[in-house]
Amino acid sequence: MTFRPALPQETTSLVGRRAEVGAVRRALQRGRLVTLTGVAGVGKTRVAIRAARLTRRAFADGVVFVSLSGLTSAESLEHALAQAMGIHELVSHSGVRLLAGHLRPRRTLLVLDGCEHLPEEVSALAQALLAAAPGLHMLLTSRQVLRAPGEHTVEVRPMSVPCAGASLAEVAATESYALLVERMADPSFRLTEQNTALVSGLCRRLEGVPLAIELAAVRARVMPLEEILRTMGGQPGGSVMESAAGWSHDLCGPEERLLWRRLAVFAGPFDLAAAEAVCSGEGLAEEEVYPALAALVDRSVVITERDEGRVAYRMLGGVRQFALARMSAGELGELRRRHREHYLAMAVRLGCEQNSVSRLATWSTARGEWPNFRAAIESYAAAEGQVDSCARMLVGLWFLWLYAGMSREGRSYLERFLATSGIEGFPRLAALMTLTHIRVGQGDLEAARLSLAEADDLVAALGAADEPGEHPDSRRLEIVRGMYHFVMGELDAAEQGLRRALKAMTGSRGVAAVEGIVTLGLVHVAQLRFDEAVDVLRRARRLCAEQREDVIGAWADLILALALRGRGEYAEAMRLATSAVRAHARMRTNHATAFAVEVVGWLATDLDEHTRAAMLLSATGGLWKVEVSAFFGSRQLAREHSACEERLRAALGPHYVRAAAAGKAMSAAEVVACALTLCPGSSRQEEDHGLALLTPREIDVARLVADGLTNRLISQRLVIATRTVDTHVENILKKLGFAGRSQIAAWVIKERGRS
């Protein structure tokens, strides 16, 4: 299971909140569904993140954080959870069933932030998941209680504030004062008898709401406290958060106010280029956007995020809602038009076949833009007369759907669009081709057959039946048809179709041609024509290197590894297969990573690395079952998996069961680590040396790790603290020079076999 980075990084220190964090941790011990409630800006998210971070050791399979900002339906909620957990290739199950199946065998904490605008949908999903997955706990933040069965609530109250007439010591002891001083970041400020009443009055005026205090603290860097309190005194009624945001808004310059309002159109993180394209215009020149944006960052209205070298910006929910509430329908409509047109242009630019930089890096960045792409797609779907633009966006994001681990979202949008939009002609053909490609990749062959047939009828209706090369989507459809025939086991038909399509594309250096060449190489491997496969795939690798197609290049490496395996060139095959594992794991595409690990497992079987192979094939078997049809529906690939398993059962005897159990218990990171490293301990002397390094208790722990037990279960079995088990595992890894639990398991299983 591929979980994304578990929790957002805390860019500022958490001041106070010990009582609230403690209450959340105790609630998680008492119940499996805990909801943090409180007013806007009170700090629910920060408390949830800190509590989750402090309890993460209790959840052997990780913590998953999902922001629900910008989601509008139960379906989008399921998509967001699936993406956060790395589940993208759903074929035959509903979203809830897939999520439940993925979580059922695992002990996981799921944190959902901002549930108040989807209370019924979140409640229904929580009930379904908790009923299906006994090891699951859920921590939610919401402005209202969900009233779901078994829900435990923790109210996050405003910070303590000094009472009127409080002494200097009493003021200094309050959380609101501590936060104000912390965020002011003024080393010269001192609380004195002279300013105590002033500070006390400001904290009371802000009512202890952390976001309001932070906004005031930023202003305090350039304005005396007396002036801040005076200007706040004139705010109209309403919540203190609204008052603080309004007060902060009034103190901004005209360009900053305008940008603040316009930035609310973004559904998720955005970069400077997007802000300039969408928010510039009347009253705000493009060159004025960055200075205004930097000022809003300085004022804590906008926060910055850094991921993989990319700097992005995001508005906090409270200040975004403040801005949205102050926009007229006409202004919001115009901003949404500019927003969707910007992301359409980005999708078209990304989807073109010219590629001057790494495709992996490009689409990793694009995947981070998904909340805004989703908002743009839904905006086009809701707008009058925008069918063609919606089609262009859905097709433009083809790489996101097919190679960047988001096929589930792509399939859902394309199916809905084709069923309801009335799109015709070549735009419909492009959408059908993309949908068919997704269905073939998912192994949903009956659905793929239906969309192929519809595409053929459409080509005939367009008068292109005798000239399939006339339109790029017609040519690409033939490549997809070849993939379909391969998965169906119709190898001759696949070869003939691919050769026809590639002949029609002679001279083309686009992605479709490279896909066709790689698929032809796979067909030759299945036909046992290994020399031809090697020639074809080496050509594909050269094209990928020239065009910086590193993702499709990883597929070429993987299929070439299969061809070299057929020729008995195991060392080079293993090098290529492990290279593909690294690339696909970096792309975080589960089905591709699973297949790459499969190939490493087959090669490990050939090389008599039996324990490692058994662990890998067991681990990938679980991944295939919950994410896509096994081996994309290919019976030939499934037969190879079964043949390797039989060889391993015979080689390992009774130890096979333990090796398979250890593989099934591994996390995704451990599976990848196991695929990339040789099994340790190749001699009896090395085994004895390893045993001599460990204490008797560490040996007990190592053996239970090999049995697939989590640290928590080991602590229960040995009647020791979980933290003590954590320490033993860390000591074992350090003493034996291992990188993960999978290596401990492999070492123990081999030791058992030798003894």
Side-chain angles (χ1 to χ4, degrees):
M1 182 167 58
T2 307
F3 283 165
R4 302 295 174 92
L7 292 167
Q9 292 297 315
E10 296 179 273
T11 56
T12 57
S13 60
L14 180 66
V15 176
R17 297 309 200 186
R18 290 186 179 181
E20 289 82 358
V21 170
V24 174
R25 296 178 68 183
R26 290 190 296 273
L28 285 170
Q29 293 172 349
R30 295 194 303 268
R32 297 170 54 216
L33 177 62
V34 178
T35 302
L36 277 66
T37 64
V39 299
V42 80
K44 300 182 292 294
T45 302
R46 291 297 303 270
V47 171
I49 290 172
R50 177 57 59 89
R53 181 164 280 118
L54 292 176
T55 58
R56 66 187 184 278
R57 287 183 179 272
F59 299 96
D61 295 296
V63 179
V64 183
F65 180 92
V66 186
S67 172
L68 306 191
S69 174
L71 302 185
T72 58
S73 65
E75 184 180 29
S76 62
L77 172 63
E78 293 167 11
H79 284 177
L81 266 64
Q83 185 187 6
M85 290 187 285
I87 311 170
H88 308 294
E89 294 79 24
L90 174 61
V91 180
S92 58
H93 304 302
S94 71
V96 173
R97 288 179 61 193
L98 174 72
L99 293 167
H102 207 63
L103 291 166
R104 184 173 293 113
R106 296 174 169 85
R107 184 168 179 81
T108 306
L109 175 62
L110 181 58
V111 184
L112 304 185
D113 184 42
C115 302
E116 57 274 347
H117 61 295
L118 291 171
E120 296 179 0
E121 292 83 353
V122 172
S123 178
L125 181 66
Q127 292 177 61
L129 295 182
L130 290 169
L136 173 68
H137 283 60
M138 296 183 68
L139 178 58
L140 318 178
T141 72
S142 175
R143 296 182 195 176
Q144 65 184 62
V145 178
L146 298 184
R147 305 193 186 285
E151 180 184 23
H152 292 250
T153 61
V154 176
E155 182 181 4
V156 181
R157 296 177 177 274
M159 290 180 155
S160 59
V161 298
C163 61
S167 66
L168 185 152
E170 290 170 335
V171 172
T174 61
E175 289 182 333
S176 56
Y177 166 75
L179 180 62
L180 179 67
V181 174
E182 170 76 17
R183 298 297 188 259
M184 282 172 58
D186 180 1
S188 66
F189 178 81
R190 295 288 184 274
L191 185 66
T192 66
E193 294 292 348
Q194 289 71 35
N195 63 19
T196 294
L198 177 63
V199 172
S200 175
L202 181 58
C203 291
R204 287 198 305 278
R205 178 66 185 85
L206 296 168
E207 297 183 9
V209 175
L211 184 53
I213 294 171
E214 296 206 18
L215 292 173
V218 171
R219 177 53 60 181
R221 298 171 190 170
V222 294
M223 178 182 288
L225 295 180
E226 298 93 329
E227 184 65 16
I228 294 175
L229 189 57
R230 186 188 65 78
T231 55
M232 285 197 69
Q235 288 296 315
S239 74
V240 67
M241 187 59 238
E242 291 174 342
S243 297
W247 159 77
S248 186
H249 182 268
D250 291 343
L251 293 176
C252 290
E255 294 84 4
E256 296 160 29
R257 297 179 200 170
L258 192 56
L259 182 61
W260 181 344
R261 197 161 69 247
R262 291 177 178 177
L263 289 176
V265 75
F266 291 102
F270 55 90
D271 60 16
L272 176 60
E276 290 174 338
V278 176
C279 300
S280 62
E282 184 179 353
L284 186 66
E286 185 173 314
E287 61 271 17
E288 294 175 321
V289 170
Y290 177 72
L293 180 60
L296 292 177
V297 170
D298 289 341
R299 290 174 169 80
S300 296
V301 172
V302 174
I303 61 175
T304 57
E305 297 181 341
R306 287 174 171 80
D307 181 31
E308 298 181 355
R310 173 176 178 261
V311 178
Y313 303 90
R314 181 170 60 86
M315 296 189 79
L316 295 172
V319 294
R320 182 171 183 259
Q321 290 303 317
F322 172 87
L324 286 171
R326 281 152 183 79
M327 271 196 282
S328 67
E331 183 181 14
L332 182 57
E334 173 62 15
L335 281 170
R336 284 177 174 162
R337 180 191 66 79
R338 298 190 64 172
H339 177 273
R340 64 181 179 247
E341 288 180 356
H342 171 76
Y343 283 97
L344 170 61
M346 181 184 293
V348 171
R349 184 173 68 252
L350 290 170
C352 73
E353 296 191 346
Q354 298 301 317
N355 191 35
S356 60
V357 296
S358 160
R359 184 84 68 176
L360 189 153
T362 298
W363 284 94
S364 292
T365 299
R367 188 167 47 199
E369 295 277 5
W370 171 239
N372 285 305
F373 279 129
R374 180 184 64 226
I377 292 169
E378 294 178 354
S379 180
Y380 272 124
E384 292 287 338
Q386 297 296 326
V387 172
D388 286 348
S389 294
C390 191
R392 290 176 66 207
M393 171 161 273
L394 290 171
V395 173
L397 293 173
W398 63 272
F399 206 91
L400 199 65
W401 313 140
L402 295 170
Y403 292 104
M406 294 188 64
S407 63
R408 182 169 183 254
E409 290 87 342
R411 177 172 178 171
S412 175
Y413 278 116
L414 282 162
E415 287 178 341
R416 191 193 328 163
F417 174 75
L418 287 167
T420 61
S421 68
I423 189 75
E424 298 177 346
F426 282 116
R428 185 173 187 87
L429 178 61
L432 275 170
M433 183 276 300
T434 305
L435 176 60
T436 304
H437 201 163
I438 293 172
R439 287 172 168 177
V440 171
Q442 291 179 329
D444 192 352
L445 301 182
E446 177 58 22
R449 183 187 67 79
L450 293 174
S451 51
L452 263 177
E454 183 181 350
D456 286 338
D457 291 342
L458 183 55
V459 168
L462 292 170
D466 297 326
E467 297 180 89
E470 188 173 279
H471 190 274
D473 292 316
S474 299
R475 297 196 297 267
R476 192 161 191 166
L477 186 65
E478 294 306 308
I479 301 296
V480 176
R481 191 191 313 280
M483 298 175 182
Y484 170 78
H485 284 307
F486 166 76
V487 177
M488 288 292 293
E490 301 164 353
L491 301 183
D492 290 342
E495 180 186 2
Q496 293 167 13
L498 288 167
R499 287 193 181 281
R500 282 196 304 271
L502 291 170
K503 184 177 181 180
M505 300 168 72
T506 299
S508 172
R509 301 168 66 83
V511 174
V514 179
E515 288 177 321
I517 295 169
V518 173
T519 305
L520 182 60
L522 181 58
V523 170
H524 285 333
V525 170
Q527 294 170 325
L528 308 183
R529 293 157 57 183
F530 301 119
D531 291 340
E532 292 176 72
V534 169
D535 291 341
V536 165
L537 291 161
R538 282 179 173 161
R539 176 188 166 202
R541 292 186 73 223
R542 286 194 297 272
L543 289 174
C544 289
E546 291 170 5
Q547 300 175 39
R548 300 188 181 183
E549 290 288 353
D550 39 12
V551 177
I552 299 176
W555 280 101
D557 283 350
L558 188 59
I559 308 307
L560 180 55
L562 285 174
L564 293 172
R565 177 183 181 237
R567 297 205 311 193
E569 299 176 28
Y570 297 118
E572 178 64 8
M574 183 65 85
R575 186 188 69 79
L576 289 168
T578 52
S579 174
V581 170
R582 289 189 186 93
H584 290 312
R586 184 179 165 204
M587 197 66 189
R588 295 181 293 191
T589 309
N590 285 348
H591 71 273
T593 305
F595 188 33
V597 172
E598 276 281 349
V599 174
V600 172
W602 298 351
L603 287 164
T605 304
D606 299 332
L607 294 169
D608 296 332
E609 297 171 15
H610 297 138
T611 300
R612 179 192 187 203
M615 293 171 67
L616 290 175
L617 296 188
S618 174
T620 56
L623 288 173
W624 284 121
K625 289 176 184 176
V626 299
E627 295 183 351
V628 303
S629 291
F631 306 100
F632 317 106
S634 168
R635 295 178 182 176
Q636 186 161 351
L637 295 175
R639 284 196 297 270
E640 184 62 29
H641 174 91
S642 298
C644 286
E645 281 190 327
E646 289 303 312
R647 289 169 60 188
L648 294 169
R649 288 179 190 275
L652 290 172
H655 302 294
Y656 174 83
V657 174
R658 292 187 181 277
K664 194 171 293 186
M666 287 193 295
S667 68
E670 289 172 331
V671 172
V672 170
C674 185
L676 296 177
T677 57
L678 292 173
C679 281
S682 57
S683 70
R684 178 74 214 186
Q685 182 179 0
E686 289 170 335
E687 299 290 344
D688 290 340
H689 178 65
L691 285 172
L693 289 175
L694 304 184
T695 67
R697 179 59 87 190
E698 288 168 350
I699 293 173
D700 291 339
V701 170
R703 288 171 176 164
L704 292 174
V705 168
D707 289 340
L709 274 65
T710 65
N711 286 8
R712 181 172 175 273
L713 293 176
I714 293 172
S715 71
Q716 294 173 356
R717 180 76 63 85
L718 299 179
V719 196
I720 57 178
T722 304
R723 183 162 295 180
T724 303
V725 177
D726 297 338
T727 301
H728 285 319
V729 172
E730 290 172 2
N731 288 341
I732 295 167
L733 293 171
K734 186 181 299 182
K735 289 180 179 180
L736 299 182
F738 293 164
R741 297 169 73 91
S742 60
Q743 290 179 296
I744 297 176
W747 174 77
V748 170
I749 292 166
K750 290 187 73 174
E751 187 272 332
R752 284 171 174 159
R754 293 180 184 277
S755 62

